[in-house]
């Protein structure tokens, strides 16, 4: 279905400079000093338009008085969902320990419950994510303890998450120093970049490899960032999209938390049993389902957006239209630009933030259906040549970064909300 591009950052084709940022990683240098933005909408590269960037906190300052005070209060009651989802997993793991003694028909009945368990894995990650942003109780010791319990199921540690997500990603969203951005064409080859090329959704990925990658991208991200800080912790690490460092205190906490997570999973595997059927269907399958659900969202969050050093949440992020029951089940996780405007907001109020963004910034707010976002993901290259150009791994195919207007996407008939 056709769509309207709301704008592109233009390279050497405008009259106002975004800024100059240079990242050094060994002999590798990248710069955004040549990237400029037109101060007024002008045609550039066909149907591409340029827009002025918003100051990072300008949108939040504008919209905060329009939201009720309750939206900024913590929601301790939501902590009760953690033991509920842990109980679902515990029940599943207990059943899984007996799977190799059941007839084939019973194994087929197990598969839907494995999906339910996978959703619980994802929901626990969401709850830990919200907890670390402070939308649940803000007491630091409680946050770390409960975050460790909720994150441990998916092999994440709360201190690493605080550093890589809250500080680096939210502080530099889809910028050169964002550890979660896509790799640049100019970055040297590394095992991290090669894995990304093989498994990330793009016009190059093989469908079978993509399916396998959906179940492994989440733990590979954790492995890559954990190796980066525990083994090196320098600004010269080349296998991550952007190198980052943590303090000595954080590094020690990450190591200790990782040992706890390893011990918990070792105990879990011992409980389920090292037999092939229970291990595959009872341990790995629910985790793979949970990882795949998370990547369905995460891949669309920023990879269709331009690189930017302004940390503008409306330029660097994308929100999705999904059925209302999915938003209810996943705490409005589809509201991603809204989350970047107010990271610590009670998630029940993100639909209100969406209404305000559509009212006050209809030409900048990026919103589209899940299906359309994934069609774009699978029809575009995945490496950045510059801030507004995507390029294939061999450098032969280039395409502009797609950005869609909210008005156009709200007309998508594929989504029932």
């Amino acid at each position: 279905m056709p769509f309207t591009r709301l704008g592109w950052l233009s390279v050497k084709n405008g009259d106002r400079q975004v800024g100059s940022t240079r990242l050094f990683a060994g002999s590798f240098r990248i710069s955004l000093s040549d990237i400029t933005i037109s101060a007024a909408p002008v045609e550039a590269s066909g149907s591409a338009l340029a827009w002025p960037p918003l100051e990072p906190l300008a949108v939040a300052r504008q919209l905060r008085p329009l939201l009720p005070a309750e939206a900024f209060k913590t929601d301790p009651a939501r902590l009760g969902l953690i033991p509920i989802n842990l109980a679902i997993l515990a029940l599943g793991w207990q059943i899984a320990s007996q799977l190799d003694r059941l007839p084939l028909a019973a194994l087929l009945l197990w598969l839907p419950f494995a999906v339910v368990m996978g959703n619980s894995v994802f929901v626990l990650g969401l709850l830990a994510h919200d907890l670390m942003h402070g939308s649940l109780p803000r007491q630091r010791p409680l946050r770390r303890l409960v975050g460790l319990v909720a994150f441990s199921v998916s092999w994440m540690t709360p201190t690493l998450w605080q550093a890589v997500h809250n500080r680096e990603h939210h502080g530099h969203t889809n910028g050169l120093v964002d550890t979660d951005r896509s790799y640049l064409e100019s970055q040297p080859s590394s095992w991290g970049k090669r894995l990304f090329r093989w498994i990330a959704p793009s016009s190059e990925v093989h469908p079978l490899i993509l399916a396998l990658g959906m179940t492994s991208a989440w733990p590979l991200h954790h492995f890559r960032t954990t190796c980066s800080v525990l083994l090196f912790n320098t600004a010269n690490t080349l296998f991550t999209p952007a190198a980052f460092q943590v303090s000595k205190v954080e590094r020690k906490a990450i190591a200790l938390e990782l040992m706890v997570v390893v011990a918990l999973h070792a105990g879990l595997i011992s409980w389920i049993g090292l037999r092939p059927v229970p291990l595959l269907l009872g341990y790995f399958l629910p985790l793979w389902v949970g990882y795949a659900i998370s990547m369905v969202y995460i891949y669309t969050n920023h990879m269709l957006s331009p690189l930017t050093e302004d940390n503008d949440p409306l330029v660097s992020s994308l929100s999705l239209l999904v059925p209302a029951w999915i938003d209810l089940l996943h705490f409005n996780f589809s509201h991603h630009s809204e989350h970047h405007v107010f990271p610590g907001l009670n998630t029940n109020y993100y639909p209100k933030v969406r209404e305000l963004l559509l009212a006050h910034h209809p030409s900048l707010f990026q919103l589209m259906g899940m299906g359309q976002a994934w069609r774009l993901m699978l029809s575009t290259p995945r490496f950045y040549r510059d801030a507004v150009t995507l390029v294939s791994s061999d450098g032969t195919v280039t395409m502009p970064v797609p950005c869609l207007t909210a008005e156009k996407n709200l007309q998508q008939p594929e989504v029932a909300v």
Side-chain angles (χ1 to χ4, degrees):
M1 189 168 183
F3 59 83
T4 302
R5 295 186 179 94
L6 69 88
W8 313 111
L9 290 168
S10 58
V11 181
K12 297 181 179 178
N13 190 33
D15 53 19
R16 191 167 74 187
Q17 185 169 308
V18 175
S20 177
T21 300
R22 190 174 297 271
L23 173 68
F24 293 89
S27 60
F28 168 54
R29 293 177 175 83
I30 54 180
S31 175
L32 285 185
S33 58
D34 290 331
I35 297 178
T36 56
I37 306 178
S38 174
V42 279
E43 286 291 329
S45 304
S47 61
L49 300 174
W51 69 83
L54 295 173
E55 193 272 328
L57 298 179
V59 180
R61 284 197 295 265
Q62 177 193 28
L63 301 185
R64 184 181 178 104
L66 305 178
L67 292 167
E70 291 76 16
F72 300 93
K73 294 180 180 180
T74 58
D75 186 10
R78 190 169 292 182
L79 287 176
L81 295 174
I82 293 178
I84 290 174
N85 283 277
L86 287 174
I88 291 172
L89 291 173
L91 174 62
W93 290 328
Q94 178 59 39
I95 297 172
S97 66
Q98 309 297 320
L99 283 179
D100 54 350
R101 302 172 187 173
L102 300 177
L104 179 60
L107 292 181
L108 295 177
L109 292 175
W110 163 259
L111 296 180
F113 191 71
V115 173
V116 174
M117 292 176 67
N119 185 72
S120 288
V121 171
F122 175 61
V123 166
L124 285 169
L126 286 182
L127 291 168
H129 166 268
D130 294 345
L131 180 73
M132 298 307 293
H133 274 301
S135 62
L136 302 181
R138 293 194 173 100
Q139 295 88 342
R140 184 181 177 89
L142 179 61
R143 279 210 318 264
R144 290 300 171 92
L145 176 61
V146 179
L148 179 59
V149 172
F151 266 141
S152 63
V153 177
S154 53
W155 283 91
M156 176 50 84
T157 58
T159 302
L160 178 61
W161 184 264
Q162 187 80 28
V164 73
H165 181 77
N166 291 30
R167 187 169 68 221
E168 300 297 331
H169 176 60
H170 274 269
H172 314 281
T173 306
N174 224 38
L176 290 180
V177 295
D178 182 4
T179 56
D180 286 345
R181 64 162 168 80
S182 296
Y183 286 86
L184 310 178
E185 178 190 31
S186 56
Q187 288 186 254
S189 179
S190 65
W191 64 266
K193 187 175 182 179
R194 288 191 294 273
L195 278 174
F196 179 81
R197 178 258 178 271
W198 291 333
I199 68 175
S202 73
S203 54
E204 300 180 84
V205 70
H206 189 283
L208 179 60
I209 301 301
L210 173 63
L212 294 174
M214 293 295 290
T215 66
S216 60
W218 179 265
L220 285 173
H221 171 273
H222 301 347
F223 179 74
R224 185 184 67 192
T225 52
T226 301
C227 287
S228 174
V229 297
L230 291 187
L231 301 182
F232 302 99
N233 201 34
T234 72
N236 297 319
T237 305
L238 297 180
F239 56 80
T240 56
F244 73 104
Q245 296 173 267
V246 297
S247 68
K248 291 182 178 180
V249 173
E250 288 174 321
R251 197 180 188 192
K252 181 179 179 180
I254 291 168
L256 292 174
E257 289 166 359
L258 181 60
M259 287 190 285
V260 172
V261 171
V262 170
L264 288 173
H265 279 266
L268 173 59
I269 291 173
S270 177
W271 176 17
I272 295 173
L274 285 172
R275 304 179 307 280
V277 173
L279 194 62
L280 178 63
L281 298 183
Y283 177 76
F284 285 109
L285 183 58
L287 288 180
W288 290 338
V289 171
Y291 296 155
I293 295 173
S294 68
M295 298 315 298
V296 166
Y297 288 104
I298 292 171
Y299 273 138
T300 68
N301 289 164
H302 307 286
M303 288 186 180
L304 294 174
S305 301
L307 291 175
T308 172
E309 292 304 287
D310 295 293
N311 204 20
D312 181 343
L314 303 188
V315 171
S316 62
S317 305
L318 169 70
S319 289
L320 299 173
L321 284 163
V322 301
W325 67 269
I326 293 181
D327 271 337
L328 179 64
L329 189 65
H330 295 158
F331 315 127
N332 294 313
F333 193 59
S334 63
H335 295 57
H336 200 69
S337 296
E338 299 88 331
H339 169 63
H340 274 266
V341 174
F342 295 110
L345 194 75
N346 183 323
T347 59
N348 292 331
Y349 291 88
Y350 280 140
K352 178 61 177 177
V353 178
R354 175 170 293 183
E355 291 178 11
L356 293 173
L357 288 174
L358 288 171
H360 293 271
H361 300 283
S363 63
L364 292 180
F365 180 41
Q366 298 183 63
L367 178 66
M368 72 178 79
M370 175 78 81
Q372 186 177 8
W374 268 89
R375 284 193 294 272
L376 284 171
M377 294 291 295
L378 294 173
S379 61
T380 52
R382 208 69 298 128
F383 295 99
Y384 283 106
R385 172 162 286 179
D386 55 46
V388 295
T389 307
L390 298 174
V391 61
S392 59
S393 58
D394 60 6
T396 60
V397 179
T398 60
M399 301 179 76
V401 175
C403 301
L404 312 188
T405 61
E407 292 91 344
K408 192 69 178 180
N409 288 299
L410 283 174
Q411 299 173 13
Q412 296 300 317
E414 62 180 320
V415 178
V417 289

